[in-house]
Amino acid sequence: MSTPVTVVDVRAAKRSKGAAPLVMVTAYDTPSARIVDAAGVDILLVGDSVANNVLGYEDTISVTIDDMAHHVAAVARARPRCLVVGDMPWMSYHVSREETVRNAARLVRAGAQCIKLEGGRARLGAIEAIIGAEIPVMGHLGLTPQSVLAMGGYRVQAKSADAAQSLLDAAKALEAAGCFAIVLEGVPDSVARTVTDALDVPTIGIGAGPHTDGQVLVFHDLLGLGDAKPAKFVRRYADLRSVAAEAIAAFASDVRSGDYPSDEESYHTTADLGRAFDPPGDATA
Ligand code: KIV
């Protein structure tokens, strides 16, 4: 069995220092965690995107710390080799420092080895408090989906010189506060490159171009399990939704035609169960 990935391994994974690009994929339950782990992924994110991908919500702001702890625990039961990151949902770290640390600890007790949270300078207090409790923190800057109301929708961020500079400043502040890696979501590739070059900790991009230290995609997006139109940055490696729908339609057809279950798919007994259990029309019974 290969050695588990730790935050120390991830912290050191800078491409500029010769490291291979980091691969992060989301998963929300035990079977998907087993698939992600078997594929040799480095980091498994139990993302609050469970909201849109599994729980049927429009956005991530409906997800609670209870929901996240439930899904982190399901993923942890797969005992993956990859680093398990628990995503802090909206309003679980915008509260007092004590409550913030308690919420982060819930995800760790559920099986996460570290947590991720969204936001820049406004979240430094939360980040320091969580790191102060010995819980490693992954940052998340740029298009932060929990800010959908404040951003007025899901829009690419850091498109002006001022916005790009404040993203760079925020990334440096998160690194100084002790984040071991930073997700950059929905930012121009040139901005992601400058931020990546300016940091000692790795960046992991999603919709941030090819120059980051790693890439993350959502399980349902890369496997084609979702029904919404994918974002521009999503590359679909399979169309599992069609495969699954065809398989289920074939089952329905076999049930309706009487083809399923067959004799081989049925249990039999040689015991004499009495007349009530004789097959209809069996004259010898
Ligand atoms: O919840 C999530 O899936 C995420 C990724 C998009 C980084 O935060």
Side-chain angles (χ1 to χ4, degrees):
M1 207 175 95
S2 45
T3 355
V5 180
T6 68
V7 289
V8 177
D9 301 325
V10 171
R11 165 84 180 68
K14 276 306 269 187
R15 283 170 70 194
S16 57
K17 293 184 181 151
L22 289 164
V23 181
M24 180 157 98
V25 177
T26 67
Y28 316 109
D29 58 24
T30 312
S32 60
R34 289 196 177 121
I35 292 168
V36 167
D37 200 40
V41 160
D42 303 306
I43 310 172
L44 189 162
L45 170 65
V46 189
D48 64 350
S49 54
V50 67
N52 326 56
N53 293 303
V54 172
L55 301 178
Y57 293 121
E58 289 286 309
D59 53 45
T60 56
I61 60 182
S62 306
V63 159
T64 65
I65 192 73
D66 290 345
D67 295 326
M68 292 310 301
H70 181 75
H71 287 278
V72 168
V75 162
R77 279 180 213 115
R79 301 192 161 276
R81 174 197 160 268
C82 28
L83 182 75
V84 175
V85 185
D87 212 2
M88 297 279 285
W90 181 63
M91 284 311 290
S92 68
Y93 54 99
H94 311 69
V95 288
S96 72
R97 287 188 175 209
E98 274 161 41
E99 208 180 328
T100 294
V101 173
R102 206 172 297 124
N103 286 331
R106 279 201 64 192
L107 299 191
V108 171
R109 290 221 160 108
Q113 284 136 287
C114 54
I115 62 93
K116 175 171 85 58
L117 56 77
E118 298 182 5
R121 291 180 167 280
R123 301 297 152 226
L124 288 175
I127 291 169
E128 280 161 3
I130 296 168
I131 293 175
E134 311 298 346
I135 300 171
V137 176
M138 178 182 281
H140 185 161
L141 295 170
L143 193 174
T144 45
Q146 291 172 18
S147 318
V148 60
L149 301 176
M151 290 184 307
Y154 299 105
R155 298 175 204 291
V156 175
Q157 301 293 300
K159 285 173 87 176
S160 68
D162 281 355
Q165 186 60 49
S166 35
L167 185 95
L168 178 59
D169 293 345
K172 287 180 179 169
L174 260 57
E175 176 176 72
C179 288
F180 72 92
I182 299 176
V183 170
L184 296 178
E185 177 166 358
V187 298
D189 53 357
S190 56
V191 175
R193 172 178 234 158
T194 302
V195 172
T196 301
D197 290 348
L199 298 183
D200 273 339
V201 295
T203 57
I204 303 174
I206 175 161
H211 308 298
T212 50
D213 294 302
Q215 297 290 331
V216 50
L217 277 181
V218 164
F219 185 88
H220 293 64
D221 287 344
L222 83 87
L223 292 178
L225 278 165
D227 43 14
K229 184 175 178 289
K232 169 181 173 158
F233 60 80
V234 170
R235 187 179 293 180
R236 284 205 155 149
Y237 289 86
D239 183 10
L240 292 195
R241 190 170 188 268
S242 306
V243 172
E246 274 168 31
I248 293 169
F251 168 63
S253 161
D254 286 352
V255 170
R256 289 175 186 138
S257 69
D259 188 56
Y260 178 85
S262 66
D263 198 49
E264 294 75 44
E265 288 158 333
S266 305
Y267 296 107
H268 307 284
T269 178
T270 51
D272 183 0
L273 303 181
R275 292 182 67 84
F277 295 94
D278 286 344
D282 186 346
T284 61

